[in-house]
Amino acid sequence: MQKATFAGGCFWCMVTPFEEQLGIGGIVSGYTGGHVENPTYEEVKTGTTGHYEVVEITFDPQLFPYERLLELYWQQIDPTDDGGQFHDRGSQYRTAIFYHDEAQEKLALEAKEKVAASGKFQKPIVTEILPAQTFYPAEEYHQGYHKKNKDDYKADRAKSGRDEFIDQHWTGE
């Protein structure tokens, strides 16, 4: 098993696209990239800790290759927005791919170039490709939030604009 770490705005919305895929061993919502040890959600949501909200995905590359994870990741985000994602604003909601080894870095950079060359976006692709840093799991109530709080999750996602963006830019792929 290997790990992949993706920042795509609200971590609740980044769990569902990956969780039902064959070869995915687990997904943990959490924080990475900041300067505070063991940050809390209350600290991270202020945007002052430097952390991103992320999902850390454990996967079997034989069943679900990293390239496929990258394809699915790009289809969940607006890679041109450096101020957050959809209705979630702030540095903690920026997009980034945190690579765990040189092979992941190379594939992530290639995937970013492919998205930039696709012609889907008029603005530059601002999603960062960064080395993996210490990962801090989010509080338990954030884990599987979409299952524990179905109505709240659905309402939040519906008002976010994420699904409309995905339909406009990625449907049919």
Side-chain angles (χ1 to χ4, degrees), residues 69-135:
L69 284 171
L70 290 168
E71 288 173 18
L72 193 51
Y73 166 74
W74 288 108
Q75 294 174 18
Q76 308 311 311
I77 64 167
D78 175 353
T80 68
D81 188 348
D82 64 359
Q85 285 291 283
F86 312 105
H87 75 164
D88 293 311
R89 310 311 303 160
S91 61
Q92 67 275 29
Y93 297 115
R94 292 170 295 158
T95 60
I97 298 169
F98 291 89
Y99 59 86
H100 292 264
D101 58 32
E102 288 181 13
Q104 284 188 359
E105 179 185 22
K106 179 180 182 290
L107 291 169
L109 289 168
E110 288 172 359
K112 182 176 178 177
E113 289 174 18
K114 183 178 176 183
V115 170
S118 72
K120 290 181 179 294
F121 304 100
Q122 300 303 310
K123 297 188 285 184
I125 305 303
V126 297
T127 300
E128 295 184 273
I129 311 298
L130 302 168
Q133 299 177 33
T134 303
F135 173 79

Side-chain angles (χ1 to χ4, degrees), residues 113-168:
E113 289 174 18
K114 183 178 176 183
V115 170
S118 72
K120 290 181 179 294
F121 304 100
Q122 300 303 310
K123 297 188 285 184
I125 305 303
V126 297
T127 300
E128 295 184 273
I129 311 298
L130 302 168
Q133 299 177 33
T134 303
F135 173 79
Y136 300 99
E139 295 80 353
E140 182 55 36
Y141 71 92
H142 289 296
Q143 308 304 330
Y145 185 87
H146 63 291
K147 292 179 180 175
K148 297 175 190 171
N149 301 283
K150 288 180 185 180
D151 293 339
D152 288 343
Y153 169 75
K154 285 180 183 178
D156 186 66
R157 184 163 178 129
K159 72 180 180 183
S160 76
R162 185 182 293 264
D163 291 329
E164 291 83 359
F165 182 89
I166 291 169
D167 287 344
Q168 181 181 356

Side-chain angles (χ1 to χ4, degrees), residues 6 14-21 24 27 57 69 72-73:
F6 300 129
M14 293 300 294
V15 173
T16 55
F18 297 99
E19 72 178 342
E20 301 295 327
Q21 304 293 329
I24 302 300
I27 304 172
I57 302 169
L69 284 171
L72 193 51
Y73 166 74

